[in-house]
Amino acid sequence: MRILRQTVRVAALVAVVTLAAPASAAGGDGDGDEGGSATEEASAQAPPRSDAAAYTQYVVQQAVDYYDAAGRAAAIARQSDPVTVDGQWYVFIVNGDGILIAHPTRPDLIGTSTAERRDVYGNAYGREIVAADEGGRWVDYFFNHPDTGQPAQKHAWVVRHDGLFFASGWYDLDESDEALARSDVATYTQYVVQQAIDRYEAEGREASVAYHNSPESVDGQWYVFMIDEAGISIAHPTRPDIVGTDRAAATDLNGRLYGPDLLAATEDGRWVDYYFTHPETGEPERKHTWVVRHDGLLFASGWYRLAEDTPPETGPAPDAAAG
């Protein structure tokens, strides 16, 4: 986080902007401040980053103070600016209707409902965020670490102020967290599907369908396929021949009809197992697919396991409409 440099005439605003500087900006930063300056005094009051909980609460309080001094529009603009990201710390703001209105690392989520958000474990943490009061509360959930881009356990401090929710947090990040995606395959699969839903909410149907039909969307064995309200495939990046087919009739490499299981998924999601060709090996493997219905569409992804009960070579030929 950097010191915000702007010319202001209101003394209170000057004081709060000075206080908004992080501890890392204290002393010898080349600003020409003399010893005992307001910047040094404010920085001295900031807890060390080694005390992650205290520093998180400090960051949130600075954001609240800035809001009181500069106003709503300036506060939203500031907390939407990537320059305010301070390592793993940043502030996001949610309005009284539960809608995200400021976030410096995930602008694609601005305008979406935080109140309805779940993490990769299905934890409905959004409703906990909007349950915070003026006294503040801690909310734990998994979210993408701003440095690694991988899901990690986040501890967020949320304070309600003037009808808005101000929040920041820190992450439990160690070597195992960076590999969470691929070591905990079920969790990562759910995460991939949720990311697709988030993209849909942020960019719309047309952009989502285009992206999930592109090879760029394939992440090793993970990719997302989409099915429309009528049960027709509208996106599949590894099998474009499937797009346009009726998924209700989908059978796997063993000839088992699994399409109806896909179409039976609800907003709560469900697991569907079947045999399909692994996108990297080209070999038939058992696929474990997580399917979620959202806004009438089905979003699905899965992981593969080479099992001992791989379908025999004498089994039915792969259905061109399998998914």
Side-chain angles (χ1 to χ4, degrees):
M1 191 183 300
R2 302 174 185 173
I3 300 173
L4 179 65
R5 304 182 185 282
Q6 60 179 1
T7 302
V8 292
R9 296 182 179 180
V10 182
L13 178 56
V14 174
V16 171
V17 170
T18 303
L19 284 171
S24 61
D29 59 4
D31 286 342
D33 289 336
E34 299 297 331
S37 68
T39 299
E40 291 174 343
E41 181 180 353
S43 298
Q45 296 171 357
R49 285 172 177 75
S50 58
D51 187 346
Y55 191 74
T56 297
Q57 292 175 310
Y58 166 81
V59 168
V60 171
Q61 187 58 50
Q62 297 307 296
V64 170
D65 291 345
Y66 185 84
Y67 169 87
D68 285 342
R72 178 175 177 133
I76 291 173
R78 176 173 171 77
Q79 304 307 336
S80 296
D81 190 340
V83 77
T84 61
V85 179
D86 175 20
Q88 64 178 317
W89 283 278
Y90 55 83
V91 171
F92 61 93
I93 305 176
V94 177
N95 71 14
D97 294 323
I99 304 300
L100 184 70
I101 59 175
H103 200 300
T105 72
R106 290 295 302 276
D108 58 303
L109 296 182
I110 294 176
T112 65
S113 175
T114 295
E116 298 178 1
R117 193 166 299 284
R118 295 174 178 266
D119 69 8
V120 294
Y121 282 108
N123 172 34
Y125 70 91
R127 62 190 181 193
E128 296 184 46
I129 288 177
V130 298
D133 58 20
E134 289 76 5
R137 70 179 298 176
W138 290 103
V139 179
D140 290 352
Y141 55 96
F142 277 79
F143 198 74
N144 278 6
H145 192 289
D147 293 332
T148 69
Q150 299 297 326
Q153 176 88 61
K154 182 172 184 176
H155 309 281
W157 176 248
V158 189
V159 174
R160 185 181 180 94
H161 179 76
D162 198 28
L164 303 179
F165 300 93
F166 295 77
S168 186
W170 87 95
Y171 296 79
D172 285 338
L173 182 65
D174 55 30
E175 293 180 359
S176 62
D177 285 327
E178 294 187 24
L180 170 66
R182 286 141 184 96
S183 62
D184 188 345
V185 287
T187 297
Y188 190 65
T189 297
Q190 293 176 310
Y191 165 77
V192 168
V193 171
Q194 185 59 53
Q195 291 296 93
I197 292 173
D198 291 345
R199 176 184 292 273
Y200 171 85
E201 286 295 315
E203 301 181 5
R205 178 168 176 152
E206 183 177 349
S208 295
V209 170
Y211 177 74
H212 292 298
N213 273 318
S214 69
E216 291 76 18
S217 68
V218 179
D219 174 20
Q221 65 177 316
W222 284 278
Y223 55 83
V224 169
F225 61 91
M226 297 172 61
I227 300 171
D228 73 8
E229 299 87 341
I232 305 300
S233 172
I234 57 175
H236 200 300
T238 69
R239 289 286 301 277
D241 57 301
I242 288 175
V243 176
T245 62
D246 184 357
R247 308 314 298 130
T251 57
D252 73 1
L253 299 178
N254 273 334
R256 186 181 75 81
L257 181 68
Y258 71 92
D261 292 336
L262 294 176
L263 301 187
T266 68
E267 289 78 3
D268 293 329
R270 70 178 301 178
W271 291 101
V272 179
D273 288 359
Y274 52 93
Y275 281 90
F276 196 68
T277 303
H278 193 293
E280 295 179 313
T281 67
E283 297 296 325
E285 297 184 20
R286 188 172 184 84
K287 183 174 183 179
H288 309 280
T289 295
W290 177 246
V291 193
V292 175
R293 186 174 294 278
H294 178 78
D295 199 26
L297 304 179
L298 292 174
F299 296 78
S301 187
W303 87 94
Y304 296 79
R305 183 182 64 207
L306 186 59
E308 295 179 356
D309 57 343
T310 299
E313 294 182 3
T314 56
D319 177 10

